[in-house]
Amino acid sequence: MERRYSPADQILMQLDHALRTVFGRPHLTERADPGADLAEPELTPAQRDHAARLMRINHTGEVCAQALYQGQALTARLPGVRDSMARAAAEENDHLDWCERRVHELGGRLSLLNPLWYAGSFVLGAAAGLAGDRWSLGFVAETERQVERHLDAHLAQVPPTDEKTRAILGTMKADEAAHATKAAEAGGATLPEPVRGAMQLAAKLMTSTVYYV
Ligand SMILES: [Fe+2]
Ligand SMILES: [Fe+2]
C-alpha cells in the first residue's frame, strides 16, 4: 500500500536525504565494496594523488546522481517510474560510499563543492521530472551513458596495479550501463542534441573544478 506524506513530511525527508548524501551515511544496498578484499597497491605519490582526485570527482558525480534521482522522485508522475528508480538510486548510494572510502584510502579529501552540486542537480532532476516521465527517463538514460563513458576515461588513467580503484570503477560502469538500459526500456525518450550537449558541458564544469576543489 502506498503511504501518503504531507508536504512538510516530504520536505523533511528530502532534507534528511540531502544531509545524509553530503555529510553523513547514506542507506546502502546489500552489496560489498568491490575493492574491499584487494591489496593496496604500491603507487608513486603522483599516481596516488591523481587517483584520489579522480575518485573525488566520481564521488561528487554520485552526489549529483543522488540529487537528480531525489529531484525526479519528487516530481515524477508515474508511481512505476518512481519505484523502478528507487533501486538505481540505492545503487548510486553504494557508489557514493565506495568512492568516499577510496578517496580516503588514497589520502585524498572530498570536494568542498558537494552541497552546491547537490542543490544544482536537485533542481535539474525536479525539472526533468516535471517535463514528464518519457523525458525524465530519457534524462536518466543519457546521464548514465555519459557517466559510463566518463568512467572509461578514468579507467584509462588509473594504473593497472591499482586493482582496488579499478574494481570500484568497473562495477560502477556496469551498474550505470544497466541503469541506462533500464531507463530506456521503461520508455525514456532520446534527448535533443542541444540538451545532451548542455549536460556534457555541465559535467565538464563539475569534473574540472572538483579535480582541484
Ligand atoms: Fe553511480
Ligand atoms: Fe547510475
Side-chain angles (χ1 to χ4, degrees):
M1 203 177 74
E2 207 191 333
R3 267 195 73 176
R4 290 198 162 270
Y5 295 103
S6 71
D9 285 339
Q10 293 232 19
I11 289 170
L12 283 176
M13 277 162 26
Q14 293 293 342
L15 205 62
D16 172 69
H17 196 98
L19 292 173
R20 273 177 192 281
T21 300
V22 178
F23 300 112
R25 300 255 60 84
H27 297 294
L28 307 176
T29 73
E30 69 294 341
R31 304 184 304 166
D33 181 338
D37 296 334
L38 299 169
E40 191 59 53
E42 298 260 358
L43 297 172
T44 67
Q47 283 174 328
R48 185 167 285 275
D49 178 63
H50 185 56
R53 287 166 189 267
L54 296 184
M55 292 312 277
R56 173 160 81 215
I57 289 173
N58 293 321
H59 177 268
T60 300
E62 296 300 334
V63 167
C64 293
Q66 282 305 317
L68 287 171
Y69 276 109
Q70 286 308 306
Q72 275 183 319
L74 192 69
T75 52
R77 281 153 220 181
L78 291 173
V81 170
R82 223 174 291 180
D83 290 345
S84 77
M85 286 195 312
R87 171 72 192 186
E91 289 180 357
E92 307 300 1
N93 264 339
D94 289 348
H95 300 171
L96 190 73
D97 181 65
W98 302 340
C99 287
E100 176 176 353
R101 186 168 316 128
R102 194 62 192 138
V103 166
H104 290 137
E105 283 169 358
L106 289 162
R109 56 157 182 83
L110 300 180
S111 174
L112 301 170
L113 303 176
N114 284 341
L116 216 67
W117 284 108
Y118 188 98
S121 304
F122 186 89
V123 171
L124 217 62
L130 283 178
D133 291 316
R134 270 185 69 241
W135 294 114
S136 178
L137 287 166
F139 180 72
V140 171
E142 178 58 25
T143 306
E144 301 285 7
R145 273 189 217 110
Q146 289 191 12
V147 174
E148 191 190 347
R149 287 198 296 273
H150 153 92
L151 289 171
D152 257 336
H154 278 195
L155 274 165
Q157 295 175 54
V158 174
T161 48
D162 188 355
E163 289 179 8
K164 263 178 119 61
T165 302
R166 299 185 69 84
I168 294 172
L169 293 176
T171 305
M172 280 170 59
K173 193 188 145 188
D175 286 348
E176 313 303 15
H179 298 163
T181 306
K182 208 166 157 191
E185 281 175 359
T190 306
L191 302 186
E193 173 47 38
V195 176
R196 279 185 280 160
M199 287 165 70
Q200 260 162 0
L201 209 66
K204 181 109 190 112
L205 185 68
M206 185 278 270
T207 55
S208 52
T209 50
V210 170
Y211 188 82
Y212 299 101
V213 189

